[in-house]
Amino acid sequence: MSTSRRQFLKMIGASAVIGLGGISAFEILQPGQFEASQLSKNPEALVGKRWGMVIDMKKLDNETMQKCIDACHRIHNVPNIDNPKEEIKWIWPETFEHAFPGMESKYMSEEIEHMQFLVLCNQCDNPPCVRVCPTKATFKRADGIVMMDMHRCIGCRFCMAACPFGARSFNWRNPRPFIKEENREYPTRMKGVVEKCTLCYERLAKGLKPACVEESNGALIFGDLDDPNSEIRKVLREHYTIRRKSELGTEPSIYYII
Amino acid sequence: MYNGGKIIIGLLIFVGLVITPFLFSGEKATAKPDPKVNTPEILKLPESERKCIESKEYMRSEHMKLLNQWRDWVVRDANALYTSTTGKQYKMSLQNTCMKCHSNKKDFCDQCHNYTAVKPYCWDCHIEPKEES
């Protein structure tokens, strides 16, 4: 009996239906495994559609900046390695010409030229690091946080090459000996993974603002950029702000008031 | 049989070599694991509350799958709470939930993992509880 094209297509359709049935049968045979209804968000968690930050350099002095940096590095077990080739940083000070290349001018105000700018991962809307990550260890969450899944990072460092802000650090060695005091509620990292600021996702889940924002005495404003009534949007409406390397089109979510 | 004596001696040596590992494996390697659940944190709980998030049998055979799921749910899907089959809610965290009760990694985790020669790399990053001795 020869098979006509029509019969063949019917057969394919039928086997697809049976195949789908097979999948659900497989799930029935493994009852009580993991169900989506078993998990939920913390009701206290902060929710937003596009988290962002405004850094008000008029209010941020060097001392507060250091406090922000220390708080972040302390709670996230960021090691303190002196060698600049191996150092790990999530949030750090940077000069104007390094933070905003192309914006400097010959006769710029000396105050701004010598100012230390607080820089961190820009939590880009269009993050190049996510695009290049072969294992999807770096990914963008629905709320705009560019996250690292340390379990999946293979240390290829494509993301470091892709990030135009140098916001990522590679662990060349086991970081544990370089952590003065471990925060026992947060993991460390291991040799061979890349790490960066994750906008304190673990604090947002508890309903707390990022650690640097909390330490900054109001110089750092954190909020939902997607909500026109939020505090951060009010600040953005009232002030002229700049972003780092906006010409590259990565759409950073960190704004600076100068 | 030609060279019967030599063959038999050879066979004996061969059998001896083959069974040496079994003869010399100390009691340690064959001692059955006996994970302890008598940490101060667990003993503090009232008798009726001394239960893991799921049944003992389930945890014994499936804890690795559960932990694997937890890490994806927390890190990738931003969910923080796990509702167990008894309806109780737990924060999904190895360091802050599991190990808070099971603060005896050596007597709890390592017992079985050593026995079955499983080396999970959880502790490369997650900080294990502080233990005496």
Side-chain angles (χ1 to χ4, degrees):
Chain A
M1 191 186 83
S2 66
T3 313
S4 73
R5 184 185 157 94
R6 188 179 165 81
Q7 277 173 327
F8 175 74
L9 288 174
K10 271 183 184 171
M11 217 160 63
I12 293 276
S15 46
V17 170
I18 292 167
L20 287 177
I23 290 169
S24 52
F26 181 73
E27 276 168 3
I28 290 163
L29 288 174
Q30 279 210 320
Q33 286 276 5
F34 313 104
E35 309 236 348
S37 62
Q38 278 181 296
L39 47 143
S40 46
K41 297 212 183 329
N42 189 338
E44 292 158 15
L46 296 181
V47 278
K49 281 186 185 149
R50 175 70 57 231
W51 291 123
M53 203 189 280
V54 171
I55 297 178
D56 190 343
M57 290 310 300
K58 284 177 183 156
K59 288 187 193 162
L60 193 66
D61 56 67
N62 284 352
E63 199 185 319
T64 349
M65 198 188 298
Q66 196 55 46
K67 261 168 73 188
C68 298
I69 296 169
D70 290 344
C72 169
H73 287 189
R74 189 176 61 242
I75 68 164
H76 294 117
N77 291 325
V78 176
N80 183 17
I81 301 173
D82 272 340
N83 182 354
K85 282 187 174 171
E86 294 183 0
E87 70 181 346
I88 311 281
K89 41 191 192 179
W90 285 28
I91 176 166
W92 69 101
E94 196 67 271
T95 57
F96 183 86
E97 56 170 2
H98 284 156
F100 304 96
M103 281 193 194
E104 73 272 29
S105 60
K106 207 171 164 187
Y107 306 113
M108 213 166 61
S109 118
E110 266 183 41
E111 192 202 340
I112 287 185
E113 208 182 333
H114 299 303
M115 202 185 252
Q116 293 282 305
F117 286 81
L118 188 63
V119 297
L120 64 158
C121 167
N122 274 297
Q123 309 293 345
C124 304
D125 244 3
N126 178 21
C129 52
V130 170
R131 201 164 59 233
V132 298
C133 181
T135 60
K136 297 272 173 287
T138 296
F139 61 101
K140 203 173 99 178
R141 297 202 325 187
D143 58 3
I145 297 184
V146 178
M147 260 291 278
M148 278 293 301
D149 184 347
M150 295 297 170
H151 305 111
R152 290 178 84 154
C153 180
I154 54 170
C156 69
R157 287 165 278 155
F158 285 9
C159 55
M160 295 179 73
C163 177
F165 306 102
R168 298 168 153 267
S169 310
F170 183 67
N171 283 280
W172 289 97
R173 47 170 83 206
N174 180 14
R176 284 224 177 146
F178 298 93
I179 302 167
K180 247 185 248 149
E181 211 178 307
E182 282 172 344
N183 171 18
R184 306 194 70 84
E185 295 194 346
Y186 196 83
T188 68
R189 265 70 54 193
M190 61 183 285
K191 182 182 171 179
V193 295
V194 175
E195 63 183 82
K196 70 173 197 77
C197 153
T198 54
L199 216 56
C200 284
Y201 76 98
E202 83 287 355
R203 286 172 61 89
L204 299 182
K206 283 188 223 160
L208 298 165
K209 283 186 176 178
C212 53
V213 176
E214 211 164 72
E215 290 288 326
S216 68
N217 280 336
L220 269 57
I221 301 115
F222 175 81
D224 188 357
L225 292 170
D226 221 30
D227 174 8
N229 301 318
S230 63
E231 191 201 349
I232 187 167
R233 283 287 293 275
K234 194 173 151 255
V235 173
L236 285 173
R237 256 196 303 275
E238 286 167 1
H239 296 270
Y240 174 71
T241 51
I242 55 172
R243 292 189 289 178
R244 295 182 66 198
K245 302 189 185 176
S246 57
E247 69 277 14
L248 297 177
T250 67
E251 299 289 337
S253 299
I254 314 287
Y255 294 75
Y256 291 85
I257 299 173
I258 301 246
Chain B
M1 191 158 45
Y2 293 112
N3 292 332
K6 281 181 190 166
I7 289 172
I8 287 166
I9 290 169
L11 275 176
L12 283 178
I13 290 171
F14 174 74
V15 170
L17 278 176
V18 167
I19 62 170
T20 338
F22 298 97
L23 292 177
F24 283 92
S25 67
E27 267 183 30
K28 246 187 188 172
T30 48
K32 273 226 165 137
D34 178 26
K36 300 273 190 308
V37 285
N38 56 353
T39 63
E41 288 79 4
I42 295 176
L43 291 178
K44 245 184 259 166
L45 296 166
E47 196 91 37
S48 56
E49 291 281 300
R50 282 181 208 163
K51 281 179 194 144
C52 197
I53 58 160
E54 298 288 357
S55 75
K56 199 174 171 184
E57 292 70 34
Y58 180 84
M59 292 312 291
R60 198 175 275 170
S61 60
E62 311 284 332
H63 66 277
M64 54 305 256
K65 290 188 197 164
L66 183 90
L67 287 173
N68 216 15
Q69 283 286 352
W70 273 23
R71 76 183 196 186
D72 283 352
W73 284 341
V74 174
V75 178
R76 301 197 80 88
D77 310 336
N79 288 303
L81 297 177
Y82 173 81
T83 312
S84 79
T85 42
T86 56
K88 252 187 150 184
Q89 283 198 326
Y90 298 90
K91 196 174 167 249
M92 288 189 271
S93 169
L94 176 65
Q95 260 172 254
N96 300 322
T97 304
C98 304
M99 300 316 282
K100 212 172 168 194
C101 279
H102 297 289
S103 57
N104 54 344
K105 176 177 168 280
K106 279 187 198 117
D107 283 338
F108 187 72
C109 309
D110 295 351
Q111 283 252 345
C112 291
H113 288 162
N114 288 343
Y115 181 69
T116 50
V118 172
K119 287 199 183 74
Y121 45 80
C122 310
W123 312 110
D124 288 351
C125 294
H126 290 276
I127 300 172
E128 54 196 79
K130 264 190 191 144
E131 286 180 79
E132 293 94 55
S133 86

